[in-house]
Protein backbone atom coordinates (compact mmCIF):
# COMPACT_ATOMS: atom_id res chain seq x y z
CA UNK A 1 0.00 0.00 0.00
CA UNK A 2 1.34 3.40 -0.99
CA UNK A 3 0.05 6.63 0.48
CA UNK A 4 0.96 10.16 -0.51
CA UNK A 5 1.10 12.48 2.47
CA UNK A 6 2.98 15.47 3.87
CA UNK A 7 6.29 15.76 5.67
CA UNK A 8 4.62 16.58 9.01
CA UNK A 9 2.55 13.39 8.94
CA UNK A 10 5.64 11.28 8.13
CA UNK A 11 7.61 12.83 10.97
CA UNK A 12 4.71 12.43 13.38
CA UNK A 13 4.08 8.75 12.56
CA UNK A 14 7.80 7.94 12.68
CA UNK A 15 7.98 9.31 16.25
CA UNK A 16 4.54 8.22 17.48
CA UNK A 17 4.91 4.62 16.35
CA UNK A 18 8.03 4.35 18.50
CA UNK A 19 5.96 5.12 21.60
CA UNK A 20 3.29 2.93 23.25
CA UNK A 21 -0.39 3.93 23.14
CA UNK A 22 -1.88 5.07 26.49
CA UNK A 23 -4.72 3.14 28.20
CA UNK A 24 -6.78 1.94 25.26
CA UNK A 25 -10.57 2.03 25.71
CA UNK A 26 -11.33 -0.97 23.53
CA UNK A 27 -14.61 -1.73 25.27
CA UNK A 28 -16.03 1.74 24.68
CA UNK A 29 -15.05 1.65 21.01
CA UNK A 30 -16.64 -1.75 20.57
CA UNK A 31 -19.88 -0.60 22.22
CA UNK A 32 -20.00 2.38 19.93
CA UNK A 33 -19.45 0.05 16.95
CA UNK A 34 -22.26 -2.28 18.00
CA UNK A 35 -24.66 0.67 18.25
CA UNK A 36 -23.67 1.73 14.74
CA UNK A 37 -24.10 -1.82 13.51
CA UNK A 38 -27.82 -1.60 14.30
CA UNK A 39 -28.04 1.63 12.32
CA UNK A 40 -26.04 0.12 9.44
CA UNK A 41 -23.68 3.12 9.21
CA UNK A 42 -20.74 4.67 11.09
CA UNK A 43 -20.60 8.45 11.07
CA UNK A 44 -17.44 10.24 10.06
CA UNK A 45 -17.65 12.27 13.28
CA UNK A 46 -17.70 9.12 15.46
CA UNK A 47 -14.95 7.25 13.66
CA UNK A 48 -12.13 9.54 14.75
CA UNK A 49 -13.26 9.25 18.39
CA UNK A 50 -13.40 5.47 18.14
CA UNK A 51 -9.90 5.28 16.66
CA UNK A 52 -8.49 7.60 19.34
CA UNK A 53 -10.17 5.48 22.04
CA UNK A 54 -8.28 2.43 20.80
CA UNK A 55 -4.93 4.04 20.01
CA UNK A 56 -4.16 7.33 21.76
CA UNK A 57 -1.37 8.05 19.27
CA UNK A 58 -4.04 8.95 16.71
CA UNK A 59 -4.87 11.98 18.91
CA UNK A 60 -2.51 14.82 18.21
CA UNK A 61 -2.80 18.48 17.39
CA UNK A 62 -0.42 18.25 14.47
CA UNK A 63 -1.74 15.03 12.95
CA UNK A 64 -5.04 14.16 11.29
CA UNK A 65 -5.88 10.54 10.67
CA UNK A 66 -8.86 11.13 8.38
CA UNK A 67 -6.95 12.51 5.36
CA UNK A 68 -4.89 9.28 5.46
CA UNK A 69 -8.07 7.19 5.38
CA UNK A 70 -9.07 8.67 2.07
CA UNK A 71 -5.80 7.42 0.57
CA UNK A 72 -6.54 3.86 1.63
CA UNK A 73 -9.20 3.21 -0.97
CA UNK A 74 -11.99 3.88 1.52
CA UNK A 75 -14.70 6.33 0.48
CA UNK A 76 -17.31 7.82 2.72
CA UNK A 77 -20.87 7.78 1.47
CA UNK A 78 -23.59 10.35 1.93
CA UNK A 79 -26.40 9.25 4.24
CA UNK A 80 -29.50 11.10 5.43
CA UNK A 81 -31.81 10.75 8.39
CA UNK A 82 -35.33 9.99 7.29
CA UNK A 83 -37.14 13.34 6.93
CA UNK A 84 -40.21 13.85 9.14
CA UNK A 85 -42.34 14.50 6.09
CA UNK A 86 -41.85 14.15 2.34
CA UNK A 87 -41.89 17.92 2.05
CA UNK A 88 -39.24 18.60 4.69
CA UNK A 89 -35.49 18.72 4.15
CA UNK A 90 -32.97 16.04 5.16
CA UNK A 91 -29.70 16.30 7.07
CA UNK A 92 -26.68 14.90 5.27
CA UNK A 93 -23.84 12.95 6.96
CA UNK A 94 -20.71 11.27 5.72
CA UNK A 95 -20.60 7.68 6.86
CA UNK A 96 -19.05 4.25 6.31
CA UNK A 97 -20.76 0.87 6.14
CA UNK A 98 -19.62 -1.39 9.01
CA UNK A 99 -17.56 -3.70 6.77
CA UNK A 100 -15.68 -0.69 5.38
CA UNK A 101 -14.95 0.49 8.91
CA UNK A 102 -13.42 -2.92 9.68
CA UNK A 103 -11.54 -2.74 6.37
CA UNK A 104 -10.21 0.61 7.59
CA UNK A 105 -9.07 -1.03 10.84
CA UNK A 106 -7.25 -3.70 8.81
CA UNK A 107 -5.41 -0.95 6.92
CA UNK A 108 -4.59 1.01 10.08
CA UNK A 109 -3.22 -2.13 11.71
CA UNK A 110 -0.92 -2.44 8.72
CA UNK A 111 0.32 1.08 9.47
CA UNK A 112 1.27 -0.18 12.94
CA UNK A 113 -1.62 1.21 14.98
CA UNK A 114 -3.17 -0.86 17.80
CA UNK A 115 -6.81 -0.74 16.73
CA UNK A 116 -8.08 -4.15 17.94
CA UNK A 117 -8.78 -5.29 14.38
CA UNK A 118 -9.04 -9.03 15.11
CA UNK A 119 -11.99 -8.41 17.46
CA UNK A 120 -13.99 -6.57 14.76
CA UNK A 121 -13.19 -9.20 12.14
CA UNK A 122 -14.71 -11.75 14.53
CA UNK A 123 -17.84 -9.63 14.84
CA UNK A 124 -18.23 -9.33 11.07
CA UNK A 125 -17.29 -12.88 9.99
CA UNK A 126 -20.64 -14.60 10.74
CA UNK A 127 -22.30 -12.38 8.13
CA UNK A 128 -19.60 -13.13 5.55
CA UNK A 129 -18.76 -16.82 5.99
CA UNK A 130 -22.08 -18.48 4.98
CA UNK A 131 -21.60 -20.39 1.75
CA UNK A 132 -24.54 -18.69 0.07
CA UNK A 133 -22.53 -15.45 0.11
CA UNK A 134 -21.11 -15.63 -3.41
CA UNK A 135 -20.03 -12.03 -4.01
CA UNK A 136 -17.77 -9.96 -1.73
CA UNK A 137 -16.98 -6.28 -1.71
CA UNK A 138 -13.27 -5.52 -1.31
CA UNK A 139 -13.91 -4.87 2.39
CA UNK A 140 -15.65 -8.21 2.87
CA UNK A 141 -12.90 -10.03 1.00
CA UNK A 142 -10.21 -8.51 3.24
CA UNK A 143 -12.24 -9.52 6.32
CA UNK A 144 -12.76 -13.01 4.85
CA UNK A 145 -9.03 -13.80 4.61
CA UNK A 146 -7.76 -11.50 7.38
CA UNK A 147 -6.65 -14.37 9.63
CA UNK A 148 -4.44 -15.75 6.90
CA UNK A 149 -2.96 -12.42 5.75
CA UNK A 150 -2.63 -10.64 9.10
CA UNK A 151 0.87 -9.27 9.74
CA UNK A 152 2.11 -10.74 6.47
CA UNK A 153 0.99 -8.16 3.96
CA UNK A 154 3.29 -6.08 1.81
CA UNK A 155 4.92 -2.90 3.09
CA UNK A 156 2.98 0.27 3.70
CA UNK A 157 4.90 3.13 2.14
CA UNK A 158 4.05 6.72 2.97
CA UNK A 159 5.91 9.34 1.00
CA UNK A 160 5.88 13.01 0.18
CA UNK A 161 7.53 12.71 -3.20
CA UNK A 162 7.33 9.49 -5.14
CA UNK A 163 10.26 10.45 -7.35
CA UNK A 164 12.56 10.09 -4.32
CA UNK A 165 11.37 6.52 -3.60
CA UNK A 166 14.61 4.88 -4.60
CA UNK A 167 16.96 7.16 -2.72
CA UNK A 168 18.91 5.74 0.20
CA UNK A 169 17.13 5.16 3.49
CA UNK A 170 18.21 5.02 7.11
CA UNK A 171 18.61 1.78 9.06
CA UNK A 172 15.44 -0.20 9.72
CA UNK A 173 14.11 0.11 13.25
CA UNK A 174 12.33 -2.86 14.79
CA UNK A 175 9.51 -1.98 17.21
CA UNK A 176 8.20 -3.98 20.20
CA UNK A 177 5.02 -4.60 18.21
CA UNK A 178 7.09 -6.51 15.66
CA UNK A 179 6.72 -3.85 12.95
CA UNK A 180 9.84 -2.46 11.31
CA UNK A 181 10.11 1.19 10.35
CA UNK A 182 12.45 2.68 7.81
CA UNK A 183 12.72 6.43 7.35
CA UNK A 184 14.02 8.08 4.22
CA UNK A 185 15.61 11.51 4.66
CA UNK A 186 16.42 13.83 1.79
CA UNK A 187 19.59 15.88 1.33
CA UNK A 188 18.26 18.46 3.78
CA UNK A 189 17.49 15.78 6.38
CA UNK A 190 13.77 16.10 5.83
CA UNK A 191 11.74 12.90 5.78
CA UNK A 192 10.36 12.01 2.37
CA UNK A 193 9.42 8.38 3.00
CA UNK A 194 8.32 6.10 5.81
CA UNK A 195 8.20 2.38 5.13
CA UNK A 196 6.30 0.16 7.56
CA UNK A 197 6.98 -3.56 7.32
CA UNK A 198 4.62 -6.14 8.85
CA UNK A 199 5.98 -8.41 11.65
CA UNK A 200 5.69 -11.63 9.63
CA UNK A 201 6.30 -10.21 6.19
CA UNK A 202 8.40 -12.41 3.92
CA UNK A 203 9.52 -11.05 0.59
CA UNK A 204 7.93 -13.18 -2.12
CA UNK A 205 10.47 -15.09 -4.07
CA UNK A 206 10.03 -14.40 -7.75
CA UNK A 207 8.51 -17.49 -9.35
CA UNK A 208 11.09 -19.52 -11.30
CA UNK A 209 10.23 -21.00 -14.66
CA UNK A 210 10.89 -24.73 -14.65
CA UNK A 211 10.25 -27.50 -17.10
CA UNK A 212 8.66 -30.67 -15.70
CA UNK A 213 10.98 -33.64 -16.38
CA UNK A 214 7.92 -35.89 -16.65
CA UNK A 215 5.70 -34.07 -19.11
CA UNK A 216 7.92 -31.25 -20.42
CA UNK A 217 5.43 -28.55 -19.51
CA UNK A 218 6.96 -25.17 -18.58
CA UNK A 219 5.49 -23.50 -15.53
CA UNK A 220 6.31 -21.05 -12.76
CA UNK A 221 7.29 -22.78 -9.56
CA UNK A 222 5.92 -20.87 -6.58
CA UNK A 223 2.99 -19.47 -8.54
CA UNK A 224 -0.10 -21.43 -7.40
CA UNK A 225 -2.08 -20.59 -10.55
CA UNK A 226 0.68 -21.79 -12.86
CA UNK A 227 1.32 -24.92 -10.73
CA UNK A 228 -2.36 -25.81 -10.87
CA UNK A 229 -2.33 -25.45 -14.64
CA UNK A 230 0.73 -27.71 -14.77
CA UNK A 231 -0.96 -30.43 -12.67
CA UNK A 232 -3.88 -30.42 -15.08
CA UNK A 233 -1.61 -30.49 -18.13
CA UNK A 234 0.65 -33.14 -16.53
CA UNK A 235 -2.27 -35.50 -16.02
CA UNK A 236 -3.36 -35.03 -19.63
CA UNK A 237 0.10 -35.44 -21.18
CA UNK A 238 0.90 -38.51 -19.13
CA UNK A 239 -1.96 -40.35 -20.83
CA UNK A 240 0.15 -40.47 -24.00
CA UNK A 241 3.63 -40.28 -22.50
CA UNK A 242 2.91 -43.24 -20.22
CA UNK A 243 -0.04 -44.96 -21.88
CA UNK A 244 -2.26 -47.28 -19.90
CA UNK A 245 -4.47 -50.22 -20.97
CA UNK A 246 -7.40 -49.03 -23.09
CA UNK A 247 -10.51 -51.29 -23.07
CA UNK A 248 -12.07 -49.41 -26.01
CA UNK A 249 -9.11 -50.41 -28.17
CA UNK A 250 -9.40 -54.07 -27.09
CA UNK A 251 -13.06 -54.03 -28.16
CA UNK A 252 -12.10 -52.40 -31.45
CA UNK A 253 -9.48 -55.09 -31.98
CA UNK A 254 -12.01 -57.88 -31.32
CA UNK A 255 -14.32 -56.29 -33.88
CA UNK A 256 -11.99 -55.12 -36.64
CA UNK A 257 -8.92 -57.31 -36.24
CA UNK A 258 -5.89 -55.85 -38.07
CA UNK A 259 -7.82 -52.71 -39.03
CA UNK A 260 -8.41 -51.68 -35.42
CA UNK A 261 -5.39 -49.35 -35.55
CA UNK A 262 -6.55 -47.54 -38.68
CA UNK A 263 -8.17 -44.10 -38.33
CA UNK A 264 -10.06 -42.62 -41.27
CA UNK A 265 -12.64 -39.90 -41.58
CA UNK A 266 -15.33 -42.47 -40.67
CA UNK A 267 -13.65 -43.53 -37.41
CA UNK A 268 -15.27 -42.73 -34.06
CA UNK A 269 -14.45 -39.46 -32.31
CA UNK A 270 -12.33 -41.05 -29.54
CA UNK A 271 -9.85 -42.38 -32.11
CA UNK A 272 -9.55 -38.91 -33.63
CA UNK A 273 -8.96 -37.51 -30.20
CA UNK A 274 -6.16 -40.06 -29.61
CA UNK A 275 -4.62 -39.18 -32.98
CA UNK A 276 -4.84 -35.48 -32.21
CA UNK A 277 -3.01 -35.91 -28.89
CA UNK A 278 -0.10 -37.73 -30.57
CA UNK A 279 0.04 -35.08 -33.29
CA UNK A 280 0.25 -32.57 -30.44
CA UNK A 281 3.10 -34.51 -28.83
CA UNK A 282 4.90 -34.62 -32.19
CA UNK A 283 4.40 -30.89 -32.63
CA UNK A 284 5.88 -30.21 -29.17
CA UNK A 285 8.87 -32.46 -29.66
CA UNK A 286 9.80 -31.01 -33.05
CA UNK A 287 8.75 -27.46 -32.14
CA UNK A 288 6.27 -27.19 -34.96
CA UNK A 289 3.91 -24.27 -35.25
CA UNK A 290 0.78 -26.24 -35.93
CA UNK A 291 -0.79 -29.61 -35.17
CA UNK A 292 -0.95 -31.92 -38.16
CA UNK A 293 -4.19 -33.60 -37.23
CA UNK A 294 -7.02 -31.27 -37.90
CA UNK A 295 -9.70 -32.21 -35.46
CA UNK A 296 -9.61 -33.69 -31.97
CA UNK A 297 -13.26 -34.76 -32.43
CA UNK A 298 -13.85 -36.02 -35.93
CA UNK A 299 -12.02 -36.27 -39.21
CA UNK A 300 -14.93 -35.70 -41.53
CA UNK A 301 -13.53 -32.41 -42.75
CA UNK A 302 -10.17 -34.01 -43.63
CA UNK A 303 -10.75 -37.08 -45.86
CA UNK A 304 -7.22 -37.00 -47.34
CA UNK A 305 -5.54 -38.19 -44.20
CA UNK A 306 -5.36 -41.68 -42.68
CA UNK A 307 -3.93 -42.36 -39.27
CA UNK A 308 -2.52 -45.32 -37.45
CA UNK A 309 -2.64 -45.81 -33.73
CA UNK A 310 0.21 -48.06 -32.58
CA UNK A 311 -1.13 -50.21 -29.78
CA UNK A 312 0.34 -52.60 -27.25
CA UNK A 313 -0.80 -55.85 -25.76
CA UNK A 314 -3.45 -54.25 -23.50
CA UNK A 315 -4.82 -51.85 -26.05
CA UNK A 316 -2.60 -49.05 -24.73
CA UNK A 317 -1.79 -46.51 -27.43
CA UNK A 318 1.98 -46.23 -27.61
CA UNK A 319 2.15 -43.92 -30.60
CA UNK A 320 0.70 -42.92 -33.93
CA UNK A 321 1.52 -41.93 -37.48
CA UNK A 322 -0.41 -40.23 -40.26
CA UNK A 323 -0.38 -40.60 -44.01
CA UNK A 324 -1.63 -37.82 -46.27
CA UNK A 325 -2.83 -38.28 -49.80
CA UNK A 326 -0.67 -35.94 -51.87
CA UNK A 327 -1.69 -37.25 -55.29
CA UNK A 328 -2.79 -33.71 -56.24
CA UNK A 329 0.62 -32.34 -55.34
CA UNK A 330 2.61 -32.19 -58.62
CA UNK A 331 5.89 -32.65 -56.77
CA UNK A 332 4.83 -35.80 -54.93
CA UNK A 333 1.81 -37.37 -56.61
CA UNK A 334 1.41 -40.06 -53.99
CA UNK A 335 0.90 -40.67 -50.27
CA UNK A 336 3.22 -39.09 -47.78
CA UNK A 337 4.07 -40.31 -44.27
CA UNK A 338 3.48 -36.96 -42.62
CA UNK A 339 4.57 -37.64 -39.07
CA UNK A 340 5.20 -40.45 -36.66
CA UNK A 341 5.41 -40.27 -32.89
CA UNK A 342 6.05 -43.01 -30.33
CA UNK A 343 6.06 -42.54 -26.58
CA UNK A 344 9.67 -42.48 -25.32
CA UNK A 345 9.62 -45.88 -23.57
CA UNK A 346 8.48 -47.68 -26.78
CA UNK A 347 11.05 -46.25 -29.18
CA UNK A 348 13.50 -48.59 -30.96
CA UNK A 349 11.44 -51.63 -30.07
CA UNK A 350 10.43 -52.60 -33.60
CA UNK A 351 6.88 -51.22 -33.57
CA UNK A 352 7.29 -49.43 -36.89
CA UNK A 353 9.13 -52.40 -38.40
CA UNK A 354 6.22 -54.71 -37.55
CA UNK A 355 3.86 -52.48 -39.53
CA UNK A 356 6.16 -51.39 -42.32
CA UNK A 357 5.21 -54.10 -44.84
CA UNK A 358 1.49 -53.39 -44.26
CA UNK A 359 2.10 -49.64 -44.75
CA UNK A 360 3.91 -50.31 -48.02
CA UNK A 361 1.02 -52.48 -49.21
CA UNK A 362 -1.61 -49.93 -48.32
CA UNK A 363 0.16 -46.71 -49.32
CA UNK A 364 2.59 -48.01 -51.96
CA UNK A 365 5.78 -46.03 -52.56
CA UNK A 366 4.81 -43.30 -50.15
CA UNK A 367 7.28 -40.58 -49.27
CA UNK A 368 8.59 -39.92 -45.78
CA UNK A 369 8.12 -36.21 -45.18
CA UNK A 370 10.41 -34.01 -43.12
CA UNK A 371 11.34 -33.51 -40.38
CA UNK A 372 12.94 -36.96 -40.44
CA UNK A 373 14.90 -37.86 -37.34
CA UNK A 374 18.28 -39.60 -37.56
CA UNK A 375 16.67 -42.68 -36.05
CA UNK A 376 14.12 -42.67 -38.84
CA UNK A 377 16.78 -42.22 -41.51
CA UNK A 378 18.65 -45.19 -40.03
CA UNK A 379 15.44 -47.19 -40.07
CA UNK A 380 14.78 -46.49 -43.78
CA UNK A 381 18.33 -47.46 -44.62
CA UNK A 382 17.90 -50.74 -42.78
CA UNK A 383 14.68 -51.43 -44.67
CA UNK A 384 16.42 -50.61 -47.96
CA UNK A 385 13.87 -47.83 -48.42
CA UNK A 386 16.08 -44.73 -48.29
CA UNK A 387 14.64 -43.60 -51.64
CA UNK A 388 11.35 -42.87 -49.81
CA UNK A 389 13.01 -39.99 -48.00
CA UNK A 390 11.77 -36.56 -48.94
CA UNK A 391 14.10 -33.92 -47.61
CA UNK A 392 13.83 -30.16 -47.38
CA UNK A 393 10.16 -29.72 -47.93
CA UNK A 394 7.76 -27.94 -45.71
CA UNK A 395 4.84 -30.18 -44.80
ZN1 LIG B 1 4.58 -32.41 -15.54
Amino acid sequence: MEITTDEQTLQYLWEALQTEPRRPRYHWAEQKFCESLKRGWLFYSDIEDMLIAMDSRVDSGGFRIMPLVEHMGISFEEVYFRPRAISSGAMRFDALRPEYYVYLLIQLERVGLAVDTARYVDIMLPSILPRNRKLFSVAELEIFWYKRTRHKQEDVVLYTDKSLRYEEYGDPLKLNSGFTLTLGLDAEDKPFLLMIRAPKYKPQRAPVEVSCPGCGHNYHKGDPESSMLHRKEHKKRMTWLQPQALPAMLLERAEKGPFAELVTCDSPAWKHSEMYNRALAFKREFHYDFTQWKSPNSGREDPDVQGYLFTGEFGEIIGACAFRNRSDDPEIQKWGLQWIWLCPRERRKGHLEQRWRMFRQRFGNFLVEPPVSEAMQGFLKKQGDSELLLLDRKP
Side-chain angles (χ1 to χ4, degrees):
M1 179 163 57
E2 295 188 345
I3 300 168
T4 319
T5 184
D6 53 44
E7 186 193 315
Q8 201 179 1
T9 302
L10 284 188
Q11 186 66 38
Y12 176 76
L13 276 175
W14 162 249
E15 286 166 18
L17 289 173
Q18 296 180 50
T19 66
E20 300 291 328
R22 293 183 312 270
R23 285 173 286 118
R25 290 179 292 136
Y26 291 136
H27 185 68
W28 180 85
E30 188 181 322
Q31 258 185 336
K32 196 96 182 145
F33 176 75
C34 291
E35 280 165 28
S36 310
L37 212 50
K38 285 181 213 148
R39 204 163 46 211
W41 293 95
L42 286 99
F43 294 129
Y44 186 100
S45 49
D46 290 338
I47 288 174
E48 196 159 27
D49 291 344
M50 291 158 78
L51 297 179
I52 290 170
M54 291 189 280
D55 192 323
S56 59
R57 297 171 293 187
V58 172
D59 187 17
S60 161
F63 168 75
R64 308 293 317 163
I65 186 86
M66 293 318 249
L68 278 188
V69 170
E70 277 143 34
H71 286 284
M72 293 177 173
I74 292 159
S75 322
F76 283 84
E77 293 178 66
E78 292 176 12
V79 294
Y80 300 85
F81 276 110
R82 185 194 186 95
R84 287 216 201 116
I86 291 176
S87 57
S88 62
M91 276 277 276
R92 187 195 121 171
F93 296 89
D94 285 337
L96 280 184
R97 293 170 194 271
E99 65 271 25
Y100 277 89
Y101 174 69
V102 178
Y103 178 44
L104 167 63
L105 298 185
I106 293 174
Q107 307 290 57
L108 293 177
E109 187 178 65
R110 290 178 63 191
V111 172
L113 294 168
V115 283
D116 206 16
T117 308
R119 174 70 194 132
Y120 292 85
V121 167
D122 282 340
I123 294 172
M124 293 306 289
L125 270 180
S127 67
I128 289 167
L129 286 181
R131 294 225 165 252
N132 59 6
R133 287 294 317 273
K134 299 291 181 204
L135 281 173
F136 288 158
S137 65
V138 59
E140 289 167 330
L141 186 65
E142 290 298 327
I143 294 168
F144 178 75
W145 60 34
Y146 169 77
K147 287 185 178 164
R148 188 167 58 80
T149 56
R150 186 188 192 195
H151 289 335
K152 291 179 191 158
Q153 284 173 295
E154 55 175 37
D155 297 343
V156 176
V157 186
L158 300 113
Y159 50 79
T160 55
D161 182 352
K162 200 171 186 176
S163 65
L164 294 171
R165 260 208 75 163
Y166 301 102
E167 297 280 312
E168 277 188 34
Y169 313 144
D171 291 333
L173 175 74
K174 182 131 187 172
L175 306 176
N176 291 336
S177 57
F179 285 86
T180 305
L181 305 182
T182 308
L183 190 69
L185 297 172
D186 65 16
E188 289 160 23
D189 262 0
K190 286 182 182 157
F192 67 88
L193 172 138
L194 176 62
M195 192 159 74
I196 303 159
R197 174 155 293 181
K200 294 180 199 160
Y201 172 78
K202 275 196 204 81
Q204 297 267 319
R205 263 185 292 144
V208 186
E209 191 175 32
V210 292
S211 178
C212 171
C215 73
H217 180 79
N218 292 332
Y219 66 104
H220 287 95
K221 209 174 178 165
D223 172 2
E225 198 76 7
S226 170
S227 296
M228 193 196 70
L229 214 76
H230 165 240
R231 280 196 296 278
K232 239 167 120 183
E233 191 64 24
H234 187 93
K235 205 175 151 202
K236 206 172 91 189
R237 291 187 187 188
M238 281 325 217
T239 62
W240 57 84
L241 289 168
Q242 279 177 6
Q244 305 291 314
L246 190 63
M249 185 47 95
L250 291 175
L251 279 175
E252 189 84 350
R253 202 180 274 167
E255 208 180 291
K256 297 194 177 141
F259 293 104
E261 295 191 338
L262 182 64
V263 186
T264 66
C265 59
D266 298 324
S267 296
W270 68 266
K271 284 173 99 175
H272 281 278
S273 161
E274 299 289 358
M275 283 301 301
Y276 183 81
N277 287 337
R278 273 75 194 179
L280 210 62
F282 176 85
K283 179 191 120 172
R284 284 203 188 104
E285 212 171 312
F286 287 93
H287 306 289
Y288 259 39
D289 291 338
F290 61 96
T291 311
Q292 299 183 86
W293 191 267
K294 285 201 175 137
S295 166
N297 304 313
S298 121
R300 284 189 209 294
E301 60 272 33
D302 195 6
D304 283 336
V305 72
Q306 296 199 358
Y308 260 86
L309 291 165
F310 290 47
T311 57
E313 191 185 347
F314 307 102
E316 73 274 23
I317 298 171
I318 57 177
C321 70
F323 291 90
R324 182 165 287 279
N325 187 349
R326 305 241 190 233
S327 46
D328 289 342
D329 186 325
E331 199 186 328
I332 301 177
Q333 297 183 339
K334 46 184 144 184
W335 286 87
L337 172 56
Q338 224 182 344
W339 57 269
I340 174 163
W341 185 87
L342 284 167
C343 71
R345 72 158 194 236
E346 296 294 336
R347 291 176 190 177
R348 298 167 191 268
K349 288 193 179 173
H351 293 297
L352 181 58
E353 199 166 6
Q354 281 170 32
R355 290 160 178 85
W356 195 249
R357 183 180 295 274
M358 183 259 296
F359 286 159
R360 290 299 303 270
Q361 276 167 7
R362 191 176 177 93
F363 301 104
N365 280 331
F366 60 82
L367 286 176
V368 180
E369 301 181 13
V372 183
S373 64
E374 273 182 35
M376 186 64 186
Q377 291 181 33
F379 172 81
L380 289 173
K381 209 168 173 183
K382 202 173 138 200
Q383 301 299 316
D385 278 343
S386 290
E387 78 277 7
L388 300 184
L389 203 59
L390 175 66
L391 290 169
D392 305 324
R393 187 185 184 279
K394 288 263 175 258

